[in-house]
Amino acid sequence: MIEDLLNFLLGHYSIVAYLVALIFSILFYRKYFDTELKYFPILIGYTFFNELLGYFVRYTDGFSFFSKKELLSANDLIYNIYEIIFYSFFFYIYWSLAKQRRHKTIIVCFFTIIVLSYVINSLFENPIHVLLYWASAIASIMLFITSILHLQELRKMQKWEIRKYNLMFWVSLSIAIFYFFFPILSIIGFKNYELWQQLHLRTVLRILIVIMYSLFIIGFLWSRRRAFR
């Protein structure tokens, strides 16, 4: 049992990153409990348990949402729901923190396009057992741009001596790095699986996840309440 658990953790180290980030988000919650990120630990916890559930549905007998044999390992539905919640959370955060009216308008337009993308993608692919990867790619590109807009605002409003203690700086930096690569990796994975395997892009994706959540952890450790905006 212990050996199986160790093998699982070694093979899915990105899930460990979720768990560690969740622990740190709770330990340092007092730093941001009254900010726009007050529900961030819930999102990280949701991510962690969603990944566990997705793994068990895909690879373990007895875990399934459907009775049809061809759908026993289908876990795409929980990821489609997760992505909608994830993107909604961050677009609301960025909209709440945006100081420039132009940025707020851009964020609203982006989110509207994302919603339409998921609706349109659902018309061509069944979201119950197919991941809506085109909509996901569009949403991730727009989240990347939005995070860059926020980093630009922070750069204008705060000197580095203060900005480095701002939790939103680390959150936005991690999002910008991860979602710069994610759309490309996602499309390759679904449209050219052979290339995905040849380039070991699954490993690349997991490393990016670890980097993203490591930056979250740095933010939890280093941030100060007074620097948040």
Side-chain angles (χ1 to χ4, degrees):
M1 180 67 177
I2 296 178
E3 184 178 352
D4 292 338
L5 178 60
L6 289 175
N7 290 332
F8 169 75
L9 294 177
L10 289 173
H12 299 82
Y13 46 88
S14 57
I15 295 181
V16 178
Y18 299 139
L19 178 59
V20 175
L22 174 60
I23 293 171
F24 276 88
S25 72
I26 295 172
L27 289 176
F28 295 95
Y29 187 63
R30 61 183 175 80
K31 292 184 177 182
Y32 61 95
F33 73 95
D34 58 346
T35 70
E36 283 80 0
L37 285 175
K38 58 187 174 183
Y39 298 118
F40 197 22
I42 297 176
L43 182 70
I44 296 176
Y46 175 35
T47 303
F48 172 68
F49 288 110
N50 193 72
E51 287 294 324
L52 282 181
L53 179 60
Y55 173 83
F56 286 123
V57 170
R58 179 72 73 183
Y59 299 107
T60 306
D61 294 335
F63 284 85
S64 180
F65 298 120
F66 310 101
S67 57
K68 292 183 179 180
K69 185 177 180 180
E70 62 271 18
L71 296 179
L72 289 178
S73 62
N75 60 3
D76 303 280
L77 176 62
I78 65 171
Y79 287 105
N80 286 327
I81 295 173
Y82 167 78
E83 286 191 347
I84 293 171
I85 294 174
F86 180 89
Y87 290 122
S88 297
F89 175 84
F90 276 109
F91 273 93
Y92 174 75
I93 295 297
Y94 282 124
W95 179 85
S96 299
L97 292 174
K99 297 301 181 182
Q100 298 183 32
R101 180 172 295 181
R102 181 173 68 89
H103 286 178
K104 283 185 177 289
T105 301
I106 290 173
I107 293 169
V108 170
C109 291
F110 278 179
F111 188 71
T112 301
I113 293 172
I114 290 170
V115 172
L116 291 175
S117 298
Y118 275 96
V119 171
I120 294 172
N121 205 164
S122 298
L123 297 177
F124 295 92
E125 302 284 357
N126 189 338
I128 294 177
H129 54 77
V130 176
L131 192 66
L132 304 177
Y133 58 90
W134 283 115
S136 177
I138 292 171
S140 59
I141 291 171
M142 293 186 173
L143 182 58
F144 165 74
I145 296 173
T146 302
S147 67
I148 295 298
L149 290 176
H150 187 75
L151 287 171
Q152 289 177 343
E153 278 198 357
L154 288 180
R155 186 171 179 272
K156 292 178 181 178
M157 297 182 64
Q158 293 181 333
K159 295 181 179 180
W160 170 245
E161 289 75 15
I162 298 176
R163 192 164 70 248
K164 66 183 179 181
Y165 296 115
N166 188 332
L167 180 56
M168 275 305 300
F169 167 76
W170 294 101
V171 170
S172 297
L173 179 63
S174 63
I175 288 175
I177 292 173
F178 180 81
Y179 284 99
F180 177 79
F181 296 99
F182 179 75
I184 302 170
L185 297 178
S186 178
I187 296 301
I188 292 176
F190 281 94
K191 302 302 290 186
N192 193 337
Y193 187 71
E194 183 178 348
L195 181 61
W196 166 273
Q197 291 287 79
Q198 290 176 351
L199 298 179
H200 305 285
L201 295 184
R202 187 186 302 277
T203 300
V204 174
L205 181 61
R206 287 174 175 170
I207 291 173
L208 286 171
I209 291 173
V210 171
I211 293 173
M212 179 182 184
Y213 280 81
S214 295
L215 290 174
F216 286 165
I217 292 170
I218 291 173
F220 295 136
L221 286 169
W222 209 343
S223 64
R224 296 177 183 175
R225 175 63 187 85
R226 291 182 179 180
F228 188 94
R229 68 157 294 277

